[in-house]
C-alpha cells in the first residue's frame, strides 16, 4: 500500500509502519475507535479523491459528475434502506460537521438548544463553551439522576418547558444505557422543538438491530461513521422527508463545501457490509463483551456507572480502587491497553484528572475476542489498578496483555504487502 511513499519519503513510511505495529500489539479500548475494513482503506485511497463537486446528484456546479452521481445515489439509497430512513444526506465529513449541518438547517443565531451535560456524556458540538456553537446559540443542559445515573427525563421535560428550546439533542459520547427516544420526542413535541439524535457512538449497533433505533422518533439523526459503524472517518445525517429540503440546503451550501467522494464510496461499501450476518454477529458480540467486562470488573471491586451497560462501552468509577482516571489510564497505556480517563456523573475530580475511565469493546471484538479473553483483560486491569507503580507488576501485566492480543491479528496476514 505504501510502495511509492516508501521510495519518496522513507521517514514518513516509517511512521506508518510504526503505527501499524503499535495497533497490532495494542489492546485498543478507546470507545470511539474501531478498525476500518480493508475495502474502506482501498476506497478512501481511490481515484475518487481527485473529483471536486458541489451540489447534489443531477444538480452539480461542476462537470464530469455522472459517475460521482451514481456513487452518491448508491450511498444514499443503501443508507436509507439500512436504517429505514426517509431521507439521508451523505455529504458530512464527520460527526461534528453532521451536527453543524443540522444547526445550519434549523437554527438562527440566538436560538436555544437543550442538550446533555458535557461532563456527563454530551459532546463538544452540543454546546461546550470551548466550541464556536456556544457563541452563536444559547445552550442549556439536562443531567443524570444522581441515584440511577440515567437521564432524568422528568427534569429534562421540566427544563424544556421553562427554557423553550428550538432544538433538543440526545445522544452522547459516554452514556452506556439505552435512551428513551420516544419520551424525549414527546417532550420536544410538547414544547415545539425539533428533536435531533446524535448516534455517533452507536450507529453500528443500530444498523445491526442490536439496540433500538432513534430513526422513527427524531426529526434529525446525525452520526460519525467511524466508532461502532467501523467505516471511513466521515459522517451522515438522516431526517424525516418533510425536512429533506431544509437539511440539504443547510448542509450545502449552508455548512460544507465540495463533497468527499472517496469517503462517500467507503461509506457506500459499509452500508452494504453492515447488512450482512457477519457484521451483525460482530455487533452482537460487542454488547456481550461489554456486559461481560462490566460484570467481571464489578467482581474485582470496580463500580460501573449506572450498574452496567446496554451498548459497546462502560464507564468504570475507580474511587473504590483508590486510583484516579488519569493514573489508571497512564498505567494501562504503559502495558499496552488503551482506555481514556472520563468523568463519572457528579465527579469531584477535575476533568484533567477524573474518577473514572471509559472503556469500549468495538475494536477488540472486531479482532475476535470473546468472553474468555475479556475475563483475562478484566483480571489484568485489576492487577494494574492494585499496584500501578510496581514495575515488576506492570511488566508481568504487559507480558500477559501482549501474549493475549498476539493471538488475534489486526488484519489478515499479508494485507499490506506491496507486491
Ligand atoms: C465522536 C462524536 C462526535 C464527533 O464525531 P467526529 O467524527 O469525531 O467529528 C459527535 N457527537 C458525538 C456524540 C460523538 O461521540
Amino acid at each position: 500500500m505504501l510502495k511509492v511513499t516508501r521510495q519518496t519519503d522513507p521517514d514518513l513510511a516509517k511512521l506508518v509502519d510504526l503505527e501499524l505495529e503499535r495497533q497490532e500489539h495494542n489492546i485498543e479500548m478507546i470507545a470511539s475507535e474501531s478498525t476500518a475494513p480493508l475495502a474502506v482503506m482501498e476506497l478512501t485511497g481511490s481515484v475518487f479523491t481527485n473529483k471536486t463537486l458541489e451540489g447534489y446528484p443531477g444538480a452539480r456546479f461542476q462537470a464530469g459528475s455522472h459517475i460521482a452521481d451514481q456513487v452518491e445515489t448508491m450511498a444514499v439509497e443503501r443508507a436509507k434502506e439500512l436504517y429505514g430512513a426517509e431521507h439521508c444526506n451523505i455529504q458530512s465529513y464527520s460527526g461534528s460537521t453532521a451536527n453543524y449541518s443540522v444547526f445550519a438547517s434549523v437554527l438562527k443565531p440566538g436560538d436555544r438548544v437543550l442538550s446533555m451535560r458535557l461532563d456527563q456524556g454530551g459532546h463538544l458540538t452540543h454546546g461546550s463553551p470551548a466550541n464556536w456553537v456556544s457563541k452563536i446559540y444559547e445552550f442549556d443542559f439536562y443531567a443524570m439522576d444522581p441515584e440511577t445515573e440515567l437521564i432524568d427525563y422528568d427534569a429534562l421535560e421540566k427544563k424544556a418547558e421553562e427554557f423553550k428550546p428550538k432544538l433538543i439533542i440526545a445522544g452522547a459520547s459516554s452514556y452506556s444505557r439505552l435512551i428513551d427516544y420516544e419520551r424525549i420526542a414527546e417532550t420536544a413535541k410538547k414544547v415545539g422543538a425539533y428533536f435531533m439524535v446524535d448516534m455517533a457512538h452507536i450507529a453500528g449497533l443500530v444498523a445491526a438491530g442490536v439496540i433500538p433505533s432513534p430513526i422513527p422518533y427524531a426529526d434529525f439523526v446525525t452520526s460519525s461513521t467511524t466508532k461502532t459503524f467501523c467505516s471511513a472517518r466521515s459522517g451522515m445525517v438522516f431526517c424525516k422527508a418533510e425536512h429533506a429540503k431544509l437539511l440539504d440546503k443547510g448542509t450545502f451550501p449552508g455548512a460544507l463545501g465540495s463533497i468527499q467522494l472517496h469517503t462517500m464510496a467507503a461509506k457506500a461499501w459499509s452500508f452494504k457490509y453492515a447488512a450482512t450476518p457477519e457484521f451483525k454477529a460482530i455487533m452482537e458480540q460487542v454488547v456481550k463483551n461489554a456486559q461481560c467486562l462490566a460484570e467481571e470488573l464489578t467482581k474485582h471491586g470496580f463500580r460501573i456507572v449506572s450498574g452496567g451497560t446496554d451498548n459497546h462501552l462502560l464507564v468504570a468509577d475507580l474511587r473504590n480502587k483508590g486510583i484516579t482516571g488519569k493514573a489508571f489510564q497512564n498505567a494501562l497505556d504503559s502495558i499496552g491497553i488503551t482506555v481514556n480517563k472520563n468523568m463519572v456523573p457528579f465527579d469531584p475530580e477535575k476533568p484533567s484528572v477524573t474518577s473514572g475511565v471509559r472503556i469500549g469493546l468495538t475494536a477488540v471484538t472486531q479482532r475476535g475476542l470473546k468472553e474468555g479473553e475479556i475475563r483475562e483483560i478484566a483480571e489484568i486491569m485489576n492487577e494494574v489498578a492494585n499496584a500501578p507503580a510496581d514495575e515488576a507488576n506492570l511488566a508481568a501485566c504487559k507480558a500477559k496483555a501482549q501474549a493475549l492480543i498476539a493471538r488475534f491479528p489486526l488484519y489478515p496476514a499479508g494485507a499490506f504487502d506491496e507486491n
Side-chain angles (χ1 to χ4, degrees):
M1 226 176 204
L2 289 176
K3 208 168 171 181
V4 178
T5 308
R6 221 173 272 299
Q7 285 163 8
T8 53
D9 193 342
D11 293 342
L12 190 52
K14 179 78 192 152
L15 293 180
V16 181
D17 291 341
L18 287 172
E19 177 62 10
L20 176 59
E21 202 180 298
R22 186 193 70 82
Q23 292 183 16
E24 186 70 55
H25 298 300
N26 194 56
I27 300 182
E28 182 52 69
M29 303 186 96
I30 303 267
S32 43
E33 291 196 19
S34 56
T35 309
L38 286 170
V40 167
M41 297 283 199
E42 282 180 7
L43 288 162
T44 51
S46 70
V47 290
F48 285 133
T49 203
N50 296 336
K51 189 75 197 106
T52 298
L53 282 175
E54 295 164 313
Y56 292 97
R60 303 289 193 185
F61 287 73
Q62 295 84 2
S65 73
H66 61 286
I67 297 163
D69 285 4
Q70 291 177 55
V71 175
E72 182 162 358
T73 304
M74 179 188 275
V76 165
E77 289 308 316
R78 286 181 179 177
K80 280 164 59 180
E81 188 177 337
L82 181 66
Y83 285 99
E86 293 174 9
H87 182 73
C88 173
N89 187 304
I90 200 64
Q91 297 197 353
S92 304
Y93 311 147
S94 66
S96 304
T97 54
N99 291 344
Y100 300 151
S101 291
V102 174
F103 299 165
S105 301
V106 300
L107 299 177
K108 291 194 302 295
D111 275 350
R112 292 178 165 181
V113 184
L114 182 61
S115 63
M116 186 189 281
R117 264 175 68 160
L118 306 172
D119 61 352
Q120 297 187 353
H123 189 255
L124 279 173
T125 54
H126 299 178
S128 161
N131 189 283
W132 68 273
V133 296
S134 65
K135 300 186 179 77
I136 312 290
Y137 314 115
E138 189 188 337
F139 284 86
D140 200 352
F141 302 93
Y142 56 88
M144 300 302 124
D145 176 324
E147 284 298 308
T148 60
E149 297 175 307
L150 304 177
I151 295 171
D152 186 339
Y153 294 96
D154 292 334
L156 188 164
E157 180 163 325
K158 194 154 167 275
K159 195 151 232 177
E161 282 168 346
E162 288 161 11
F163 186 57
K164 300 199 176 11
K166 181 90 176 281
L167 176 69
I168 298 178
I169 304 177
S173 303
S174 58
Y175 191 67
S176 62
R177 294 303 194 170
L178 302 179
I179 294 176
D180 188 347
Y181 304 120
E182 193 172 3
R183 173 80 200 267
I184 305 177
E186 275 168 24
T187 299
K189 200 162 179 199
K190 208 162 159 188
V191 303
Y194 289 106
F195 178 33
M196 176 183 121
V197 174
D198 178 343
M199 64 168 180
H201 260 269
I202 54 170
L205 302 173
V206 170
V210 170
I211 61 170
S213 170
I215 298 275
Y217 305 105
D219 295 297
F220 298 93
V221 176
T222 60
S223 189
S224 155
T225 50
T226 53
K227 309 192 181 178
T228 53
F229 193 63
C230 307
S231 186
R233 297 213 76 85
S234 193
M236 56 186 171
V237 187
F238 300 92
C239 72
K240 299 281 181 215
E242 62 189 287
H243 306 313
K245 281 211 175 79
L246 207 59
L247 175 65
D248 287 348
K249 210 166 141 230
T251 302
F252 179 85
L256 306 179
S258 61
I259 64 168
Q260 300 192 346
L261 197 57
H262 58 313
T263 54
M264 211 179 259
K267 286 182 279 188
W269 183 89
S270 293
F271 294 131
K272 187 172 176 210
Y273 175 60
T276 61
E278 179 182 318
F279 184 75
K280 192 175 158 70
I282 294 172
M283 290 294 116
E284 279 170 353
Q285 190 64 42
V286 165
V287 177
K288 282 188 205 159
N289 282 350
Q291 290 173 342
C292 174
L293 185 60
E295 279 165 29
E296 292 299 312
L297 288 177
T298 303
K299 284 185 204 157
H300 288 300
F302 293 79
R303 191 187 77 85
I304 305 304
V305 169
S306 85
T309 176
D310 302 315
N311 59 26
H312 63 300
L313 67 83
L314 53 113
V315 178
D317 180 342
L318 307 167
R319 284 176 288 185
N320 292 344
K321 304 294 278 185
I323 184 170
T324 65
K326 184 182 177 188
F328 193 43
Q329 170 194 297
N330 292 343
L332 285 177
D333 192 33
S334 77
I335 68 147
I337 297 180
T338 8
V339 302
N340 62 274
K341 64 180 187 286
N342 205 89
M343 303 287 271
V344 301
F346 309 100
D347 200 324
E349 292 285 356
K350 290 183 297 197
S352 58
V353 179
T354 80
S355 299
V357 289
R358 182 184 70 157
I359 310 173
L361 281 295
T362 315
V364 291
T365 307
Q366 284 179 286
R367 288 177 82 153
L369 278 69
K370 294 213 164 65
E371 287 87 339
E373 292 80 32
I374 299 304
R375 278 190 277 275
E376 282 182 58
I377 291 177
E379 249 176 66
I380 297 171
M381 287 181 164
N382 185 45
E383 283 162 14
V384 170
N386 288 344
D390 176 341
E391 291 302 330
N393 177 47
L394 292 180
C397 288
K398 185 170 185 171
K400 280 187 218 166
Q402 298 226 318
L404 190 163
I405 203 64
R407 303 190 337 246
F408 300 90
L410 182 68
Y411 285 102
F416 297 111
D417 285 358
E418 272 139 41
N419 299 306

